[in-house]
Amino acid sequence: MTGEPDPEARLMPPPLRDDCFAMPAGVEWTPVEDALALLRTNLAPVTPASALPATETLGRVLARPVTARRANPPTANSAVDGYGFAHASLPSGDPVLPLVAGRAAAGVPFDGTVPPGHAIRILTGAALPDGVDTVILEEEVRTDGSAIAFRAGIKPRANARRAGEDVEAGQTILPAGRLVTAPDLALMAATGVGEVMVRDRLRVAVLSTGDELAEAGEPAAEGQIWDANRPMLLGLLEQFGYAPLDLGRCPDDRGALAAALDRAAEGADAILTSGGASAGDEDHVSALLREAGAMTEWRIALKPGRPLALGLWHGTPVFGLPGNPVAALVCTLIFARPALRVLAGEEWRMPQGFDLPAAFSKSKKPGRREYLRARIRKGRAEVFASEGSGRISGLSWAEGLVELADGAREIAPGDPVRYIPYSSFF
Ligand code: AMP
Ligand code: MG
């Protein structure tokens, strides 16, 4: 129950547990489902909640369930323009009913009582006057202005909306964890909800690591590549509805990286880094997180995606994504996306895909899940020609992913495959 939200109240969630990213010991390659189940149970909302006028909550996460202040509709009313009467007072045979003076309109109720055997002019949305329980559509009557005539057979309570038939007063209309949609704004307005408790937008810092990186749009020396992950990750966070925090680039230097993570942990609720996440010489993200960040290296049975470095930096969760842009995107969508939802206080939700005939053939190895860059053309799922994880053009070509389950599979054109549009991650 919401109760009266106190505008002064700012509810701070408890910190995450140190072992929230701990993987079960002895596991070589963790199936995607197990990794997701772990994130789901171990993570918790980290954003504070406060009261806001319901009309200002589009795209925000509800911290408490919302209950209707008033029933919808609040009173019984007419669903059509026509004439109202008491059904029980109808004569047998085709009725002819004298009209009472006056009318009932939306917002302008009729004050009197309609006597049995009489009818009243009534418009859509008008409260049913005393003595009226049934409305006949104006197209179904003849009238001379002082009486109406129509065919027998109308059902009791026809064209009348019951008070509370949509929502009862006190009913829970939206659950905690709901991301408020435009139709939700209509529902809250219609049921008299004034203020609700919503969580602050999740602040997510983005940091790119690597000596080879140059800033997009600026000159690059020979041997340098432009930082492609950061604009992509910042863009994704924007589309997720979070508050992205751009932390720039960081060289492969432990001191500089620690300083950047310090800044990130200060200003953000979660951190996405890309690059340096495996166990190589220059993989400082994983090294730092291992030393100081309660890190577990996640070896997930997933292609594309190498080990993902997950840890806490001063209590702030860090998702150490692979540097390869394709792997960075897939790991963000498949792992960081649902995990960020939990941190933001949202309900757990996996992207909804659907089956389509394949426009390709493929022989898939067992033991890991695979995601292919894909799009729909002529009702079939096409995949990008190359699976190379450095092929950024394929990310942009694609409009979604084809998801292939962990087992082996021979796919021929026309076989059903699971397609997940990019939009279902937002
Ligand atoms: P790493 O995970 O640091 O070993 O990087 C793997 C590959 O991804 C290397 O070829 C990097 O140059 C490349 N890479 C790393 N970070 C980025 C980035 N921000 N933008 C584009 N490519 C990157
Ligand atoms: Mg690197």
Side-chain angles (χ1 to χ4, degrees):
M1 302 289 288
T2 40
E4 264 320 305
D6 173 6
E8 298 299 307
R10 209 170 149 72
L11 298 178
M12 300 302 293
L16 293 172
R17 286 200 339 258
D18 251 9
D19 62 351
C20 66
F21 290 129
M23 284 298 254
V27 175
E28 250 299 273
W29 288 95
T30 308
V32 173
E33 285 313 319
D34 296 7
L36 288 173
L38 226 93
L39 290 175
R40 182 178 186 176
T41 40
N42 288 0
L43 293 178
V46 296
T47 42
S50 49
L52 212 63
T55 48
E56 292 169 23
T57 58
L58 182 66
R60 300 292 290 273
V61 180
L62 295 175
R64 307 260 183 81
V66 176
T67 53
R69 291 296 155 93
R70 198 172 80 167
N72 184 54
T75 55
N77 68 90
S78 178
V80 297
D81 290 345
Y83 297 87
F85 47 82
H87 192 274
S89 72
L90 289 179
S92 56
D94 291 345
V96 177
L97 306 179
L99 282 172
V100 301
R103 60 168 208 171
V108 192
F110 177 77
D111 283 338
T113 298
V114 177
H118 287 64
I120 184 171
R121 175 72 171 143
I122 189 165
L123 301 179
T124 306
L128 297 187
D130 285 345
V132 172
D133 63 5
T134 303
V135 180
I136 187 156
L137 205 60
E138 64 186 12
E139 289 86 340
E140 290 172 3
V141 306
R142 290 265 180 87
T143 180
D144 60 1
S146 60
I148 57 169
F150 54 96
R151 293 255 179 242
I154 187 167
K155 297 214 168 69
R157 290 175 299 285
N159 300 313
R161 301 171 179 146
R162 213 167 29 81
E165 71 173 19
D166 180 22
V167 179
E168 301 280 6
Q171 188 182 325
T172 299
I173 50 170
L174 295 167
R178 169 87 174 181
L179 201 62
V180 176
T181 65
D184 293 345
L185 298 181
L187 180 57
M188 290 192 284
T191 53
V193 175
E195 272 195 336
V196 290
M197 291 293 281
V198 293
R199 293 187 180 277
D200 284 4
R201 271 185 211 285
L202 190 75
R203 300 163 307 163
V204 187
V206 177
L207 177 69
S208 291
T209 74
D211 287 339
E212 74 277 34
L213 300 180
E215 186 69 10
E218 288 178 10
E222 209 176 300
Q224 283 196 309
I225 60 168
W226 282 293
D227 179 0
N229 288 341
R230 216 167 89 245
M232 172 174 75
L233 295 173
L234 290 168
L236 284 172
L237 291 167
E238 192 87 50
Q239 289 184 300
F240 295 162
Y242 302 141
L245 176 64
D246 185 357
L247 282 183
R249 291 165 293 119
C250 180
D252 289 314
D253 171 271
R254 225 162 276 198
L257 184 58
L261 289 175
D262 282 349
R263 273 188 291 129
E266 210 151 278
D269 307 303
I271 305 169
L272 300 184
T273 67
S274 70
S278 350
D281 294 348
E282 297 296 343
D283 291 322
H284 300 294
V285 173
S286 45
L288 268 181
L289 287 178
R290 195 174 295 114
E291 273 170 32
M295 174 183 122
T296 322
E297 191 176 353
W298 284 43
R299 296 168 66 80
I300 298 159
L302 169 73
K303 182 189 173 186
R306 283 179 317 171
L308 197 58
L310 296 179
L312 295 179
W313 190 261
H314 302 325
T316 303
V318 182
F319 297 83
L321 303 164
N324 275 313
V326 177
L329 179 78
V330 169
C331 286
T332 300
L333 295 180
I334 303 302
F335 292 102
R337 178 65 186 123
L340 291 174
R341 277 196 205 279
V342 178
L343 296 172
E346 291 171 58
E347 295 164 305
W348 179 262
R349 177 146 60 93
M350 292 307 292
Q352 298 297 300
F354 46 90
D355 284 356
L356 282 179
F360 61 96
S361 47
K362 180 180 165 67
S363 186
K364 183 191 165 294
K365 294 201 192 102
R368 65 181 180 198
R369 184 177 295 185
E370 277 190 45
Y371 290 93
L372 309 175
R373 284 151 279 173
R375 62 184 194 182
I376 308 175
R377 288 294 181 273
K378 296 184 184 142
R380 287 148 63 104
E382 295 181 345
V383 298
F384 191 61
S386 160
E387 292 183 15
S389 74
R391 301 287 187 101
I392 300 177
S393 63
L395 290 180
S396 162
W397 173 91
E399 292 159 8
L401 299 171
V402 157
E403 179 183 72
L404 302 177
D406 301 7
R409 210 178 145 193
E410 292 299 326
I411 296 159
D415 290 352
V417 289
R418 177 126 297 224
Y419 177 78
I420 309 173
Y422 281 154
S423 59
S424 72
F425 291 96
F426 302 147

